[in-house]
């Protein structure tokens, strides 16, 4: 198990379990204080950002495939699934992106689209040069 996998598994724990684990770890490392404020602040901040648990059902072949892919990337299966789902969600939303313009900005936008393209000598050369395979 890599440190990244261990960190992902710890971050998947409830906040109270993380606090107990941190306290025990610091005690094991010989910290004279019960909790190191800097470490506690960092862990608490991360735990607050990941305070939602989602349970999903899948069949064994799907789980095995995800486990293998996660292992190849050095991630826990949970971390791999969150990253993959997040990326897919971004792709879906970006494909359906809407931007609104007021009437003046819309007319400027349409005018730019309707305008004659600016000259581009390099593009013209590229498009008129015979391909090596022709």
């Amino acid at each position: 198990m890599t440190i990244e996998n261990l960190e992902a598994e710890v971050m998947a724990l409830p906040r109270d379990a993380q606090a107990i684990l941190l306290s025990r770890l610091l005690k094991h490392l010989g910290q004279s204080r019960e909790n190191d404020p800097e470490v506690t602040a960092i862990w608490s901040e991360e735990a607050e950002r990941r305070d939602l648990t989602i349970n999903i059902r899948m069949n064994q072949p799907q789980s095995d495939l995800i486990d293998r892919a996660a292992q190849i990337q050095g991630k826990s299966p949970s971390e791999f699934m969150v990253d993959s789902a997040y990326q897919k969600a971004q792709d879906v939303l970006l494909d359906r992106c809407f931007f609104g313009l007021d009437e003046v900005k819309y007319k400027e936008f349409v005018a730019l689209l309707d305008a004659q393209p600016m000259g581009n000598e390099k593009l013209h050369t590229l498009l008129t040069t015979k391909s090596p395979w022709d």
Side-chain angles (χ1 to χ4, degrees):
M1 176 177 275
T2 67
I3 190 70
E4 289 81 13
N5 290 358
L6 179 60
E7 181 181 11
E9 294 299 320
V10 169
M11 295 315 299
L13 294 171
R15 276 183 268 170
D16 57 340
Q18 288 179 5
I20 292 167
L21 180 61
L22 176 60
S23 175
R24 292 179 63 196
L25 180 60
L26 290 172
K27 190 180 290 185
H28 178 74
L29 293 173
Q31 294 281 338
S32 58
R33 295 169 285 181
E34 181 65 22
N35 286 319
D36 182 327
E38 183 179 351
V39 174
T40 302
I42 292 168
W43 280 48
S44 296
E45 181 182 323
E46 182 66 23
E48 286 176 15
R49 289 189 297 190
R50 295 185 183 187
D51 62 351
L52 179 64
T53 300
I54 299 174
N55 296 311
I56 58 174
R57 294 184 182 274
M58 67 181 77
N59 61 40
Q60 193 60 49
Q62 290 172 322
S63 178
D64 293 343
L65 183 68
I66 290 169
D67 289 347
R68 284 190 316 179
Q71 186 177 24
I72 288 170
Q73 290 192 345
K75 298 178 179 180
S76 71
S78 295
E79 186 179 21
F80 180 84
M81 286 187 279
V82 168
D83 290 348
S84 299
Y86 186 77
Q87 182 62 52
K88 181 63 176 179
Q90 285 181 327
D91 293 345
V92 167
L93 294 175
L94 289 173
D95 283 346
R96 299 176 186 272
C97 188
F98 168 80
F99 61 96
L101 300 173
D102 62 31
E103 189 174 339
V104 173
K105 292 290 184 187
Y106 176 74
K107 287 180 180 179
E108 289 176 18
F109 178 70
V110 170
L112 287 171
L113 291 176
D114 291 340
Q116 192 73 336
M118 295 178 2
N120 185 329
E121 188 59 38
K122 289 182 181 180
L123 180 60
H124 177 73
T125 303
L126 175 68
L127 295 175
T128 57
T129 302
K130 187 174 182 176
S131 301
W133 53 84
D134 287 337

